[in-house]
Amino acid sequence: LGDVYKRQLWKLPLALPGIISLRLFSTPTIKVPETPPILKIFKAPKPDNRVIEPNYTTPIVSYPLIEKKNIKALPTYIGKNMDIHYSSYKMNACVGCIRGQHIYDAIGILNTILKKGGDIALKVLKNARQNAMHQGANEQCLFVKTVQVGRRNRHKKPDIRAKGKTGLIIVPGSSLKIILEERPLSEMHKLFITGHCPVGIAAETRKQLMQTGADFQDITSVAHMTTAYGRYMQRKTFKLIKEKVHKAMCLSLIHI
């Protein structure tokens, strides 16, 4: 035996009593009861159907019921072209500036776009306006609700190159759909009062004033619509009036 085993041999007689005691006295024992346990069955108590009225020491605070108003959908008019030989990305860049605009403003913006997509979008917009006028809509209350630009089925065509070589290119194509909505006169009055009169309506108003030969008093009475400075001052005064009314309402609530 090596030196290591010789050093550990003297510990073996000392460890034998512990090993024997663990073997003899550490076996698990199970005690079986003499009589089986008795199971007690409890009946559920009968429900108490009595109504107990609560006695509140403080008043009950509840939120008022909000009535859902039946909002009628505004009438819409559609103009579309589903087969356009023009890229959908370029078309979206051309018509992105007329979304939410008045129809007069949208026509003026498209007239200034020197791109192929501007002429195509202008034709579709005039087609939608014609449909609206045919159905009896008021042209001065028409706004561009949505402009949807999509893709059409693209096809390939030969690309003729120099020295008798040819290739294939993908022809871009897109589709355009413009939806107009007719807003009520109450919303148009809000735009005039708050100083957000459309520029197209302002131009039409100036034209009518020139044709009718209006005097200075008539011109100044509609200056908040016809001029850019008048619209700016109308927005500013409306904002001040709104702040004053808000402060007065807050003071009245504090006094109550």
Side-chain angles (χ1 to χ4, degrees), residues 101-108 125 129 139 142-144 180:
Q101 297 289 336
H102 190 267
I103 186 169
Y104 293 161
D105 299 346
I107 292 173
L125 181 61
R129 183 180 65 174
E139 186 180 10
L142 292 176
F143 284 81
V144 180
L180 301 177

Side-chain angles (χ1 to χ4, degrees), residues 36 39 47 70 95 98 108-109 131 156 158-159 178 184 224-225 250 256:
L39 299 176
N70 295 325
V95 300
I98 67 170
I109 291 169
N131 293 337
K156 296 180 181 179
D159 182 20
I178 298 176
H224 64 282
M225 296 170 51
C250 292
I256 291 171

Side-chain angles (χ1 to χ4, degrees), residues 75 77 101-108 111 122 125-145 179-185 188 191-192 198-202 204-205 207-208:
Y77 311 97
Q101 297 289 336
H102 190 267
I103 186 169
Y104 293 161
D105 299 346
I107 292 173
N111 282 325
L122 185 60
L125 181 61
K126 289 182 177 179
N127 186 15
R129 183 180 65 174
Q130 188 177 359
N131 293 337
M133 298 297 292
H134 182 70
Q135 298 182 25
N138 186 5
E139 186 180 10
Q140 295 184 352
C141 297
L142 292 176
F143 284 81
V144 180
K145 184 180 180 182
I179 302 175
L180 301 177
E181 66 175 359
E182 184 183 4
R183 296 185 183 178
L185 291 175
M188 298 298 296
L191 292 176
F192 300 152
V199 180
I201 292 181
E204 290 293 326
T205 306
K207 189 184 296 184
Q208 291 178 4

Side-chain angles (χ1 to χ4, degrees), residues 52-225:
I52 301 173
E53 296 181 357
N55 296 324
Y56 292 104
T57 56
T58 57
I60 303 173
V61 180
S62 60
Y63 292 99
L65 296 175
I66 300 173
E67 297 181 359
K68 294 183 179 179
K69 297 181 180 180
N70 295 325
I71 301 173
K72 295 182 180 179
L74 299 176
T76 57
Y77 311 97
I78 300 174
K80 58 184 177 180
N81 188 355
M82 307 305 291
D83 188 12
I84 302 172
H85 296 277
Y86 197 59
S87 173
S88 58
Y89 299 101
K90 296 179 182 178
M91 178 61 69
N92 189 35
C94 291
V95 300
C97 53
I98 67 170
R99 290 186 173 95
Q101 297 289 336
H102 190 267
I103 186 169
Y104 293 161
D105 299 346
I107 292 173
I109 291 169
L110 292 177
N111 282 325
T112 58
I113 296 176
L114 303 177
K115 296 288 183 180
K116 178 182 176 182
D119 297 334
I120 296 171
L122 185 60
K123 291 179 182 178
V124 177
L125 181 61
K126 289 182 177 179
N127 186 15
R129 183 180 65 174
Q130 188 177 359
N131 293 337
M133 298 297 292
H134 182 70
Q135 298 182 25
N138 186 5
E139 186 180 10
Q140 295 184 352
C141 297
L142 292 176
F143 284 81
V144 180
K145 184 180 180 182
T146 56
V147 179
Q148 299 176 2
V149 180
R151 286 183 177 179
R152 67 171 177 84
N153 294 329
R154 297 182 293 177
H155 61 276
K156 296 180 181 179
K157 70 176 184 180
D159 182 20
I160 300 172
R161 300 175 184 176
K163 298 182 179 180
K165 296 180 181 179
T166 59
L168 290 176
I169 59 174
I170 297 175
V171 180
S174 60
S175 62
L176 179 62
K177 184 178 181 181
I178 298 176
I179 302 175
L180 301 177
E181 66 175 359
E182 184 183 4
R183 296 185 183 178
L185 291 175
S186 59
E187 292 194 12
M188 298 298 296
H189 293 160
K190 288 180 183 178
L191 292 176
F192 300 152
I193 292 170
T194 56
H196 294 89
C197 176
V199 180
I201 292 181
E204 290 293 326
T205 306
R206 289 195 300 270
K207 189 184 296 184
Q208 291 178 4
L209 291 173
M210 291 177 63
Q211 292 174 357
T212 56
D215 55 359
F216 181 75
Q217 187 176 1
D218 295 336
I219 294 172
T220 54
S221 62
V222 293
H224 64 282
M225 296 170 51

